[in-house]
Amino acid sequence: MNEIDDDLLQRAHYWMRLTRALDDRGTFLHKQSKIVGGYFSQIGHEAISVAAALSLGPHDIIAPMHRDLGAYLVRGLTPRRILAQWLGRETGVTRGRDANLHGMGDLSLGIIGFISHLPASTGVIAGVAHAIKLKGEPRVAMCFFGDGSASQGLAHEAMNWASVFKLPMVIICENNQYAYSTPLRRQMAIEHIAQRAAGYGMPGVIVDGNDFVAVYRAAREAVERARAGGGPTFIECKTMRMRGHAIHDNMAYVPKELLAEWEARDPIARIEEVLRARGLLDDATLAALLARIEAELDEAQTFAEASPYPDPATLTDGVYA
Amino acid sequence: MTWDQGLHRTTTVLNGERGTRELTYLEAIRAALRFEMQRDARVLVMGEDIGVYGGAFKVTQGLIEEFGEDRVIDTPMTELAMLYAAIGMSFEGFRPVVEMQFADFISTGFDAIVQFAATNHFRWRQPVPITVRAPGGGGLRAGPFHSQSNEAWFVHTPGLKVVAPATPADAYGLLLSAIRDPNPVIYYETKYLYRSLKGLVPDGDAPVPIGQAVVRRSGEELSIIAYGAMVQEALSAATVLEQEGHSIEVIDLRTLKPLDEVAILATARKTGKVLIVHEANRTCGVGGEVAAIIAEQAFEYLDAPITRLAAPDTPVPYSPPLEDAYRPNAAKILAAARELLAY
Ligand SMILES: Cc1ncc(C[n+]2csc(CCOP(=O)(O)OP(=O)(O)O)c2C)c(N)n1
């Protein structure tokens, strides 16, 4: 565990806690009818999104999906902008144009706005990686998609493309076992999504997606390989979707035992165990961290709620550059 | 719980429809699927999450219990394979009804529809009797990727038929016709109406013919031509105008391809003033085609310019004030109609 130093662990812990708290805040605001439209929870995905984003350098580019709140935060999207986005305000990332996590892009932070049509980000990121290669820059492009998205033709086309051109690309596949209501066995006839990587000529790695250390190590290795000209890597992170597909979904179709099993493997509890074992966390420091995060989110919520809605007169602004 | 839970606080109950049972627009679609599956063993439905879960909007709820998983097929998340497979199944005698979870996702299977299904009969005389259910339209604060009215893509494509029911009775009757039609039919159902509109629906075998518009309200001074969710908005506006002493005709196109030219021309000739309303973007929308038909064949009957009220040419925005500004509604129809009446 030597490459995971104390500082990294502590930073990761903060981001994972912030991600969970912001997610809880979103659920709460949705219950209060302040978030219009739908809301996607990412609980259970914190280790994956935070570890993958932390494995990158500042000039790398990511294309997150709808359960990667942690990655957005690590890359520098502030809770202020995210909450304003959810509330449909002018100060949100898309200035009220798009909903919840969709479209939250900002290339100045190396984030490509999410495309609802899954897994479109794989194709885009292949293009980004290709451009990076053409320019001869030591940068890496990373995309995220789920088990359901892995069934789409584009995922296969993009992986093939990346491998044929030996692109500096990392694919993080978040296998949370359900795509909306569709279980994995209805999505594919093989056991691991990562088995497919061989068919494209790239390494396929399987990690425990609830273990920050495991995801970070795998992502870091893939990023370094990509940076060194070694081509793309496919990383399958095994996890579980702990909430419904979106907030309206009570996921009656998921067996209770399966949830209980994964509840016991909660990614935040896991990283806190490691921190405690290293003497980096106790009840008092945790309480202080949580209080700091709540204050940060209170401030962000106040900002978002005080922000104006977009002016209807600006409706057609921005259709063209 | 469903995707659009809690979005509709009120439900409009239609008067004047014929039928034996009162159903919501959504229940009417489900009733049509059930009826057709009971009647014809070749009919099967497929799509993402339509089986055990009952569909994102619960349209197919209960069907898997009744018909089993061979006829209610939960697919992997692959629109393109799904649509091509449906076409292949049709060659073996089946009549697949494919649900696109949202009309927006139809683009992911576009090739199968516009390249293969649409041209097949023309090329080698093999019909493609598939129905593609496309839950379209906005008003649900669902953002640019979940609110599109993209029917014009298909209206432009030869070989397809496109229908857009505006009432529960038509949702029922047009779906029966779509499934029985030997051609690929894109069936645009309006998410906004799913739970907000109720009406009488006939029992049993009551297909509504494809290609026939209907006069929803007869009048003399002005014609409002609409389809889908905009029909109810047009009727609300017409009611207000009627109270003010105006006589307004409301035409519901019901089928967008082929368009009912006879009905369109008849109303234009009758009132001499035409307002065309749709939720889809303005440019190259169905309204443009309706306007051209009237301009070409009924020009001399017109007392005012043919007018279109449509969404502006922007993606569908999410934030409530923006979406309200974007989407046509009764108030905007009223304003446009008043201007035309005063012309
Ligand atoms: C092309 C396309 N079809 C359908 C949908 C609707 N949809 C949104 S998320 C989703 C399930 C995605 O599953 P997965 O990729 O496993 O991600 P998860 O939501 O489980 O994190 C579906 C079917 C979509 N977004 N894009």
Side-chain angles (χ1 to χ4, degrees), chain A residues 66-67 116 118 146-149 176 178-179 245, chain B residues 48 79 101 105:
Chain A
H66 51 291
R67 303 201 202 277
S116 164
L118 294 163
D147 41 290
S149 313
N176 63 12
Y178 281 85
H245 167 66
Chain B
E48 290 154 18
E79 290 81 10
Q101 201 155 71
F105 299 129

